[in-house]
Amino acid sequence: MRQALISDIHGNLEGLQAVLTDIASQSVDQIVCLGDIVGYGPNPCECLELVMKKSTLTIMGNHDQAALFDPEGFNPVALRAIYWTRDRLDAGAPSTVNRRWDYLSELPKLHHQDKFMFVHGSPRDPTNEYVFPETIYDQNKMENIFGRVNQYCFQGHTHMPGVFTPDLEFIKPSSCDHVFSLGKEKLMVNVGSVGQPRDEDNRACYLIIDHDARKIHFRRVEYDFETTCKKIYAISELDNMLGDRLRTGR
Ligand code: ZN
């Protein structure tokens, strides 16, 4: 079985469409979404619609949760974007609006599938906790978090793809030729971001788990970010920096 893991789409329709096209060429059986379908980007409803149609399992992200409830710990830029997003999700025919909110409100915060665990943030706080590449230097935090990993944990949230090992290494996709073998040791794997990459590569990012070969493949996909940028610049509630950062991938 081959599973595609997508995360942190953030209302970026061009990024999501490009990734779905790439997935269609990769003999993938199932798509799993690790959350943050909305927030920051100009097409929350269209992205949600696509995820509802294509994803077999979707985990709740902190921005999805913030659209539903009161945002926690959001900076002013993220806050303005999430209030605008909420208005977009509320617009349209009542049946469509209800379907969106029902879907978002029923998303699980974590999911176990055999030895695989899927979260948005971390195994300790599935929705909100960040595990950044530099978190490897916080030995207590990492050991506590790894203590809650059964075997393999897949996550998003930081928009920084890579593999965390129990001996506290962070391995970037470019350092392992974008392929990593699933062995006996525990691993935490960040799948990166479809709609707002922050690892200085402006291509959309996602990952494929090849369960038979026991390997993961990090994928990068070029997309038309200029179109997404222009849409963001045209919406006053979305700060221009949300467009600028798509160009630089930061
Ligand atoms: Zn995110």
Side-chain angles (χ1 to χ4, degrees), residues 8 10 35-36 40 62-63 120 157-159 198:
D8 298 274
H10 287 295
D36 278 5
Y40 297 138
N62 60 313
H63 286 256
H120 180 66
H157 198 31
T158 65
H159 304 202
R198 294 180 192 161

Side-chain angles (χ1 to χ4, degrees), residues 122-152:
S122 93
R124 187 163 68 170
D125 177 350
T127 314
N128 287 302
E129 186 171 50
Y130 291 95
V131 186
F132 285 109
E134 59 269 27
T135 307
I136 57 169
Y137 301 110
D138 187 342
Q139 195 180 344
N140 281 344
K141 178 171 170 176
M142 288 303 285
E143 283 175 358
N144 188 302
I145 290 173
F146 259 115
R148 291 158 202 252
V149 177
N150 187 4
Q151 178 74 67
Y152 311 119

Side-chain angles (χ1 to χ4, degrees), residues 86-202:
R86 207 179 263 178
D87 288 344
R88 301 315 310 144
L89 294 170
D90 262 336
S95 61
T96 308
V97 171
N98 287 339
R99 213 162 49 87
R100 287 177 191 146
W101 289 118
D102 286 349
Y103 183 83
L104 286 174
S105 63
E106 284 161 15
L107 296 178
K109 294 186 175 211
L110 77 170
H111 180 82
H112 292 277
Q113 169 199 294
D114 306 321
K115 291 177 172 173
F116 294 77
M117 179 186 196
F118 301 125
V119 296
H120 180 66
S122 93
R124 187 163 68 170
D125 177 350
T127 314
N128 287 302
E129 186 171 50
Y130 291 95
V131 186
F132 285 109
E134 59 269 27
T135 307
I136 57 169
Y137 301 110
D138 187 342
Q139 195 180 344
N140 281 344
K141 178 171 170 176
M142 288 303 285
E143 283 175 358
N144 188 302
I145 290 173
F146 259 115
R148 291 158 202 252
V149 177
N150 187 4
Q151 178 74 67
Y152 311 119
C153 179
F154 289 81
Q155 64 204 153
H157 198 31
T158 65
H159 304 202
M160 310 276 269
V163 179
F164 296 92
T165 67
D167 42 357
L168 307 191
E169 263 192 291
F170 178 75
I171 300 157
K172 290 181 185 176
S174 55
S175 307
C176 60
D177 223 3
H178 303 271
V179 183
F180 201 87
S181 291
L182 300 174
K184 286 207 172 81
E185 68 174 3
K186 288 185 181 186
L187 295 173
M188 276 196 292
V189 182
N190 195 301
V191 307
S193 170
V194 169
Q196 198 193 82
R198 294 180 192 161
D199 61 341
E200 303 188 2
D201 182 339
N202 60 17

